[in-house]
Amino acid sequence: MTDAEGEPNSWYDVVVIGAGPVGENVADRARAAGLSTAVIESELIGGECSYWACMPSKALLRPVVARADARRVPGLSGAVQGPLDADAVLAHRDEQTSHWKDDGQVGWLESIGADIYRGMGRLTGVRQVSVTAGDGSVRHLGARHAVAVCTGSRAVVPGLTGIDDVRPWTSREATSAKEVPGRLVVVGGGVVGVEMATVWQGLGAQVTMLIRGGGLLPKMEPFAGELVAEALTEAGARILTGVSVTAVHRAGQDGPVTVELDSGESLESDEILFATGRAPRTDDLGLDTVGLEPGSWLSVDDSCRVQGTDWLYAVGDVNHRALLTHQGKYQARIAGAAITARAQETPLETDPWGAHSATADHAAVPQVVFTDPEAASVGLTLAEAEAAGRRVRAVDHDLAAVAGSGLYAQGYKGRARMIVDLDREILLGVTFVGPGIGELLHSATVAVAGEVPIDRLWHAVPAYPTISEVWLRLLEAYRG
């Protein structure tokens, strides 16, 4: 089906490499505009989020957090003191991942009229992509208007002595494990580290966290990591800060893992999870054929078009702007609209907050960490705002002092902070930490993305008695 020259067998308006949530959304926006679209995927349609990240991790976390909440409710706490049914939790996780089968996702892509190609997609030149199938056969596709790279990122495992023999967990193994390990060492204190520590400690493992820095969740306000660390410790986890792993060893094929630390201490565990960062899936993408460096993050403008090109887009994790599924899907909507406008030769709206500008990547990135307590933030932290030279004020409030929090849980612990731009009197960032605050974040996202003036927020009356009443308390503290 291919000729010797590698000329395209088939032409499309848009070719998308990678069929995770980001690639699916680029394809959806292109097809909605009437552009013919091909989607290439080497693994499961639906990508990392559906099978090894967002969906399985949240399915595992929900019972752990729900039990913790229930234990704080008078009249209910006594009924939920026993262990979780780990088999039932893992079975529910399997259902949420469709048992790692992608039939439903395939059906959806087909329903919008996108053509699916199974295999490894690689750039072979300007607007040209090859697809190598599992049987070794190759097809060549051409793109009239755009190629969108949506291949995501992969977990980074450090090159330590003994690492290959240990067979370490990454986020994939941590979310798809078939049984609860007796002991688990978690290396890293970011989002993956704290969520997986919460899961496996809650399901009965003895968890030890090894943190190179001074605390958990270093990209959030300091109090977020402090409150999560306090709760993990109370749940039985051990957290060591200021330490690094120097070597790892596994006894035999399935024996325990010995973890050597730079402090001279050694630990023994049944499994070890490295949650120590991500790298772009661009190593084997053919970037060198279009003058780009294999294995690199791809720099883009706010329409997600790769710098220096007029046809190549990098959407989602590969552009390193905001490594979050929902943010990648947002970029996909922006990129899809930009591809369409350029294909139809209509003017682009690239000013901040325009239809073809992913401004939220800079100013209003929301994130929820689904631990106990939950940690949620949008926009800038105090440190980030000050580093950017903004004249700001941080306003804090104890979430436990809000009536709705006391009704939600006995002994409620939490904190809220808003960062006010003193020159414009708008919010640059908001952080909440506490049980049940994940659903509170979108109100903050609307305020930050909408640049709603403080004077107008004063008229947004929170219902009583809800945790949302913290908004009133924050505004009162600011206005005096």
Side-chain angles (χ1 to χ4, degrees):
M1 293 296 292
T2 62
D3 58 39
E5 304 300 323
E7 289 296 322
N9 307 112
S10 304
W11 282 88
Y12 293 88
D13 293 323
V14 180
V15 175
V16 179
I17 306 177
V22 175
E24 289 175 324
N25 274 266
V26 172
D28 183 46
R29 291 299 83 211
R31 288 298 302 132
L35 302 179
S36 60
T37 304
V39 181
I40 304 165
E41 178 54 56
S42 61
E43 294 187 287
L44 296 175
I45 305 294
E48 198 81 10
C49 174
S50 299
Y51 306 104
W52 299 287
C54 316
M55 295 304 292
S57 66
K58 303 318 172 271
L60 291 168
L61 282 159
R62 178 59 188 149
V64 176
V65 174
R67 180 182 62 173
D69 280 346
R71 285 177 170 177
R72 302 184 187 104
V73 178
L76 179 60
S77 58
V80 288
Q81 290 303 313
L84 290 167
D85 183 340
D87 289 340
V89 173
L90 297 178
H92 176 62
R93 182 271 319 273
D94 294 350
E95 291 176 6
Q96 291 300 309
T97 59
S98 301
H99 298 273
W100 290 275
K101 296 179 181 178
D102 62 4
D103 299 6
Q105 303 267 16
V106 170
W108 180 83
L109 263 183
E110 291 176 340
S111 75
I112 66 170
D115 288 349
I116 299 172
Y117 290 84
R118 297 277 194 176
M120 180 63 68
R122 296 181 181 89
L123 297 168
T124 57
V126 174
R127 295 186 177 88
Q128 297 196 26
V129 180
S130 70
V131 186
T132 305
D135 62 5
S137 62
V138 180
R139 286 189 64 89
H140 290 270
L141 309 181
R144 298 184 187 92
H145 298 295
V147 174
V149 175
C150 308
T151 49
S153 63
R154 57 177 172 79
V156 173
V157 176
L160 297 169
T161 300
I163 195 72
D164 292 335
D165 295 334
V166 165
R167 304 183 308 280
W169 281 10
T170 67
S171 52
R172 283 198 170 196
E173 290 78 18
T175 56
S176 62
K178 299 301 183 184
E179 59 184 28
V180 180
R183 299 163 297 175
L184 174 66
V185 165
V186 177
V187 184
V191 176
V192 172
V194 296
E195 287 192 346
M196 290 300 97
T198 300
V199 165
W200 295 109
Q201 182 70 38
L203 289 176
Q206 175 56 59
V207 171
T208 300
M209 299 191 73
L210 305 178
I211 314 301
R212 185 168 56 183
L216 306 182
L217 300 176
K219 294 184 178 180
M220 301 184 83
E221 297 284 7
F223 63 81
E226 291 166 5
L227 286 168
V228 171
E230 180 182 329
L232 277 169
T233 301
E234 289 177 356
R238 182 186 180 199
I239 302 175
L240 303 180
T241 58
V243 298
S244 294
V245 178
T246 58
V248 288
H249 311 279
R250 186 183 288 275
Q253 179 68 18
D254 298 308
V257 176
T258 300
V259 185
E260 305 288 348
L261 305 181
D262 59 355
S263 64
E265 183 180 359
S266 64
L267 307 173
E268 191 173 90
S269 180
D270 296 296
E271 301 291 350
I272 182 169
L273 161 64
F274 283 93
T276 50
R278 309 286 296 180
R281 291 182 180 273
T282 60
D283 307 76
D284 191 20
L285 194 60
L287 292 181
D288 55 313
T289 67
V290 294
L292 297 170
E293 182 182 350
S296 65
W297 301 102
L298 298 175
S299 297
V300 299
D301 62 20
D302 276 353
S303 72
C304 295
R305 187 169 62 175
V306 175
Q307 303 282 4
T309 77
D310 63 359
W311 60 276
L312 183 62
Y313 291 74
V315 193
D317 281 13
V318 288
N319 63 35
H320 206 230
R321 287 164 68 101
L323 277 65
L324 296 160
T325 295
H326 50 268
Q327 213 65 23
K329 292 165 70 174
Y330 160 73
Q331 292 174 15
R333 296 190 292 272
I334 299 294
I339 290 168
T340 298
R342 290 179 173 126
Q344 297 174 348
E345 298 183 348
T346 58
L348 269 67
E349 300 174 24
T350 56
D351 290 339
W353 307 112
H356 309 108
S357 179
T359 310
D361 286 349
H362 309 298
V365 174
Q367 180 171 23
V368 179
V369 185
F370 292 85
T371 45
D372 171 41
E374 292 176 340
S377 66
V378 62
L380 303 180
T381 64
L382 175 60
E384 289 169 340
E386 291 177 338
R390 304 291 189 93
R391 197 171 68 92
V392 296
R393 176 183 164 193
V395 182
D396 293 336
H397 192 74
D398 181 2
L399 267 171
V402 176
S405 301
L407 293 169
Y408 187 90
Q410 196 170 44
Y412 191 102
K413 293 181 182 179
R415 186 172 172 185
R417 167 174 286 181
M418 67 180 189
I419 308 299
V420 181
D421 183 322
L422 295 175
D423 294 319
R424 299 180 63 195
E425 290 231 312
I426 60 172
L427 301 186
L428 297 179
V430 180
T431 299
F432 301 116
V433 183
I437 52 79
E439 296 297 340
L440 190 60
L441 182 63
H442 194 59
S443 59
T445 303
V446 171
V448 173
E451 299 181 341
V452 182
I454 293 286
D455 285 348
R456 180 56 61 89
L457 281 176
W458 184 251
H459 295 281
V461 182
Y464 181 87
T466 64
I467 300 175
S468 293
E469 199 178 10
V470 70
W471 277 110
L472 175 58
R473 302 303 171 218
L474 289 166
L475 292 168
E476 286 175 336
Y478 175 72
R479 290 166 67 101

